[in-house]
Amino acid sequence: MTSLPRVLVGLVGYCSFMRSYPFGPVFMECLCASQWPEEIEVKELNWGPVTVVQDFQSAKVLPERVVLVSVVDRGLAPGTVSCRRWVGGKLDPQAMQERMFESVTGVVHVDNLLAVGEQFEIWPDEVLVIEIQLASDNIGDYVIEALAATGKMGEDLCEHELSRELQGYVQRLATSVRRAALEGTRGLPDLVPFSISQLTPVAQICQYKSVSEPADYVTH
């Protein structure tokens, strides 16, 4: 049995943080460079909602505050930082199954983590969700494809520098995360509620095919 810190800051989203070079690694470095009290832990939560749930369930002491940080496309202006407090809610069984299916097939998304965590009742009373909206050309495949086209991969991928604009995004996001972790709701005067009804829809594809299309079965 392990003990979780009083405040847990978790970076969520494999595609958003690990493949968005160099924004994700630079942001993590920015957070870890700050001096944090012993009761606050900053870690990646990129191993899927079910594993996170199991980690919480095995803990002797649960955190009193959880701050989830992610890059999510919610149709806002690039650079927008959203600070919301999770107020929960329950999905119907079919919708919950879809979230679980997407989670166990390797999709790591803060909305799935929130929904699955809510289902298994792991969340404390204070769960804060801090997100930033990035332009599509800042995320994932664009950067990788651009480097691949020049033949510069490997170490060059990690050494790709942030633009001045993205450096500003890092600092802006880090400031909100620090306030959330240290002060909770008191440090975020513009905090708005975030409920289960506001989650983004699950992906409508399975193995590169729309789930509405009939499956192709081969009989022998």
Side-chain angles (χ1 to χ4, degrees), residues 13 24 36 73 92-93 102 114 124 129 131-132 144 150 172 177 180 200 219:
W36 294 97
D73 182 4
D92 64 67
E102 188 171 79
L114 287 165
V129 184
E131 299 173 353
I132 189 167
I144 293 176
T150 65
R172 191 182 311 161
V177 170
T200 55
T219 58

Side-chain angles (χ1 to χ4, degrees), residues 163-177:
S163 66
R164 181 173 298 180
E165 182 180 42
L166 284 179
Q167 289 175 6
Y169 290 176
V170 166
Q171 294 300 323
R172 191 182 311 161
L173 183 61
T175 297
S176 293
V177 170

Side-chain angles (χ1 to χ4, degrees), residues 11 17 23-33 42-44 170:
L11 278 63
F17 277 103
F23 187 89
V26 170
F27 179 69
M28 184 56 129
E29 290 173 5
C30 179
L31 285 185
C32 293
V42 180
K43 64 190 301 184
E44 293 180 0
V170 166

